[in-house]
Amino acid sequence: MKYFIGNWKMFGIPKSINILNKINSYYLKDKNRKKYRVIITPPYTLLETYSKFFKKKRISIGSQNCYQKDKFSSDTSAISPYMIKKVGAEYTLVGHSDNRKEGDTDLMLKNKVTYALKNNLKVVFCIGENKIQKSKNKTLDVLKKQITKVLNKKLNKNNIIVAYEPIWSIGTGKIPTNKELEKITIHIKKILKGIFQNKSPAVLYGGSVDGNSIKNFKEIKEIDGFLIGGASKSSKKFIDIINNYYR
Ligand code: PEP
């Protein structure tokens, strides 16, 4: 199964559901549809409406983050995994570099993953090195630490997806070479297999994926799907990615 996940970030109002309707119509007509799943992570404000609307349809809805506590607390503005699940969302991103930049620590991420899984959300755990780490050849070490500090064998691997998103690539148009990406994906899967009894969760790539760059990425068979930011806000651009992947 491949995954195409669209991360809307700070984008979207109720009527933006039109974008999802177009993607859903494409999906329903696509002869390749059994091979992949579409997940969209709109902002919290739209989670309930979109989750209800797409409940019986094929697009899955997820949140972009969740708080590191289980249910209710006195933390102003925080939204827990329990609250996300109760409005009908199925997935949550955890550890996106935007949130790591704002102070998410490994311990916080560990709690987020644990409570999200406890509340039956599927977790898309994001990892990735920054430009300086890459230039110092630290990528593989950084990724290993990010994974092993947060994931452990007690977690339900069937509800975890890992998204490799090099920070220097997000929103910049810069992408790793296929050779680099293949090596990194294999490295990530090896670490995950070490944690989860020789079975790796799906590993996705994210960073400047569009209708054009996907033509390169699709050559790398180890990659189980894509986390798409900018190009997910347009139905045409998002559909182009899927279309070019299977062409
Ligand atoms: C992201 O923010 O997760 C992302 C991958 O963004 P973009 O596709 O715009 O690089």
Side-chain angles (χ1 to χ4, degrees), residues 8-27:
W8 276 12
K9 311 186 191 190
M10 197 175 82
F11 169 82
I13 53 174
K15 75 171 186 194
S16 316
I17 201 161
N18 293 337
I19 299 170
L20 299 195
N21 270 327
K22 286 183 191 149
I23 296 171
N24 199 56
S25 305
Y26 171 85
Y27 178 87

Side-chain angles (χ1 to χ4, degrees), residues 5-216:
I5 306 183
N7 175 19
W8 276 12
K9 311 186 191 190
M10 197 175 82
F11 169 82
I13 53 174
K15 75 171 186 194
S16 316
I17 201 161
N18 293 337
I19 299 170
L20 299 195
N21 270 327
K22 286 183 191 149
I23 296 171
N24 199 56
S25 305
Y26 171 85
Y27 178 87
L28 293 175
K29 284 188 224 132
D30 187 3
K31 64 176 185 328
N32 291 307
R33 70 179 177 278
K34 293 219 162 64
K35 299 182 190 157
Y36 66 92
R37 176 160 298 178
V38 172
I39 302 157
I40 302 289
T41 62
Y44 287 130
T45 45
L46 301 173
L47 278 185
E48 180 167 12
T49 340
Y50 286 15
S51 297
K52 283 195 174 136
F53 189 79
F54 285 102
K55 197 164 182 199
K56 297 247 153 44
K57 303 203 172 83
R58 301 314 296 256
I59 288 183
S60 298
I61 300 296
S63 61
Q64 297 172 15
N65 195 4
C66 65
Y67 198 59
Q68 69 265 19
K69 290 185 186 170
D70 186 5
K71 201 170 174 184
F72 297 138
S73 74
S74 55
D75 298 281
T76 302
S77 91
I79 312 236
S80 68
Y82 174 80
M83 292 154 76
I84 293 164
K85 181 68 185 180
K86 284 292 172 193
V87 295
E90 281 180 73
Y91 288 81
T92 183
L93 305 185
V94 171
H96 191 280
S97 58
D98 286 341
N99 304 120
R100 288 179 187 261
K101 198 170 63 192
E102 281 166 5
D104 271 11
T105 62
D106 290 328
L107 179 61
M108 285 159 70
L109 297 176
K110 194 172 178 177
N111 288 333
K112 288 180 186 206
V113 171
T114 305
Y115 289 127
L117 292 172
K118 182 177 169 222
N119 282 284
N120 291 318
L121 288 169
K122 297 184 183 84
V123 168
V124 182
F125 178 55
C126 306
I127 55 173
E129 83 285 5
N130 64 28
K131 204 172 150 189
I132 297 171
Q133 291 162 333
K134 178 178 164 57
S135 69
K136 290 186 176 161
N137 255 328
K138 296 271 185 238
T139 299
L140 300 186
D141 290 347
V142 168
L143 298 176
K144 186 169 186 183
K145 275 207 194 96
Q146 288 177 337
I147 296 169
T148 52
K149 295 247 179 209
V150 174
L151 301 183
N152 65 71
K153 65 176 179 198
K154 289 192 207 128
L155 301 171
N156 179 0
K157 63 175 177 294
N158 299 322
N159 285 348
I160 296 173
I161 294 170
V162 172
Y164 167 57
E165 299 206 295
I167 298 169
W168 51 269
S169 171
I170 295 178
T172 61
K174 297 194 177 108
I175 52 173
T177 65
N178 279 15
K179 213 171 150 203
E180 276 172 331
L181 196 47
E182 184 173 34
K183 182 174 157 201
I184 291 169
T185 310
I186 290 169
H187 171 75
I188 293 170
K189 287 195 169 177
K190 199 170 152 206
I191 297 164
L192 291 169
K193 280 182 187 166
I195 299 173
F196 296 117
Q197 288 147 351
N198 219 19
K199 199 173 171 297
S200 171
V203 176
L204 318 187
Y205 169 77
S208 297
V209 177
D210 59 23
N212 203 23
S213 59
I214 195 77
K215 294 175 196 159
N216 285 321

